[in-house]
Amino acid sequence: QLTNSFLAAALVGLSAAPLWTSKGSYITDVGSIYASENKFDKNAIINWFFGIFYTFFQSCQIWGNLISYLVLTPEAQISKVYDKCGADFNEQEYHSSEVANKIDRRTVNTLCIIYVCIGICSIITLIIFLDQRRSTSRDQISVMLRNSMKLLVSTVKHMRNINQLLLIPITIWAG
């Protein structure tokens, strides 16, 4: 169980950085193109596009919690509710009482299947509707490797700056 959690955390950690970087790059690129084609202020349009993105991104908290609530709502009320709090709270009494329903494995699997299906639908939606902004697909592999090495060297050089190194613990803490 611990190994699976560690593996999942590692996969999320390794994939989150490129995903968020590409998201920011894509929104900035599309916003810049839209602003130049329609003669709008570039910064205002980019901020507007980020606002739209984060509106949808943060609303997923509401939709995810609503789905969890609907799936996890017990069909039958629990037989005993522990209603003592504050100065009347007794930890031994609390642990011995039946304060919550046990969630059966089938319900957990149902919830996971719903979330996986939503994730798959979002990937399909992105594949169908997202405009590909990639120009490197037409380049040769040697050019792509050379550009990647330049980027890697640039990143390593950037890490010499003490301010950049001081950001690492903040990033780890926020993650």
Side-chain angles (χ1 to χ4, degrees), residues 76-141:
Q77 294 296 328
I78 55 177
S79 58
K80 184 178 178 184
V81 176
Y82 189 80
D83 57 357
K84 294 180 182 177
C85 63
D88 295 330
F89 179 76
N90 183 344
E91 189 170 346
Q92 285 80 20
E93 211 177 293
Y94 172 78
H95 287 300
S96 66
S97 66
E98 188 179 329
V99 295
N101 286 338
K102 300 274 187 211
I103 300 172
D104 63 342
R105 196 65 172 144
R106 186 171 183 228
T107 305
V108 172
N109 289 342
T110 301
L111 190 60
C112 288
I113 288 170
I114 289 170
Y115 286 141
V116 167
C117 289
I118 289 171
I120 290 170
C121 288
S122 67
I123 290 169
I124 291 170
T125 302
L126 285 176
I127 290 170
I128 292 172
F129 294 111
L130 195 65
D131 183 27
Q132 293 290 323
R133 304 299 312 159
R134 231 180 316 166
S135 63
T136 57
S137 63
R138 292 180 218 110
D139 292 340
Q140 293 181 351
I141 293 177

Side-chain angles (χ1 to χ4, degrees), residues 2 37 40 48 53-54 56-57 61 85 112 137 142 158 161-162 174:
L2 183 62
E37 287 177 358
F40 290 127
W48 180 47
F53 170 80
Y54 279 106
F56 284 103
F57 177 72
Q61 296 290 329
C85 63
C112 288
S137 63
S142 62
H158 197 343
N161 187 341
I162 188 69

Side-chain angles (χ1 to χ4, degrees), residues 50-83:
F50 271 100
I52 292 169
F53 170 80
Y54 279 106
T55 298
F56 284 103
F57 177 72
Q58 293 298 330
S59 76
C60 77
Q61 296 290 329
I62 296 168
W63 301 113
N65 285 325
L66 181 63
I67 291 168
S68 295
Y69 171 77
L70 293 173
V71 172
L72 298 175
T73 299
E75 295 174 10
Q77 294 296 328
I78 55 177
S79 58
K80 184 178 178 184
V81 176
Y82 189 80
D83 57 357

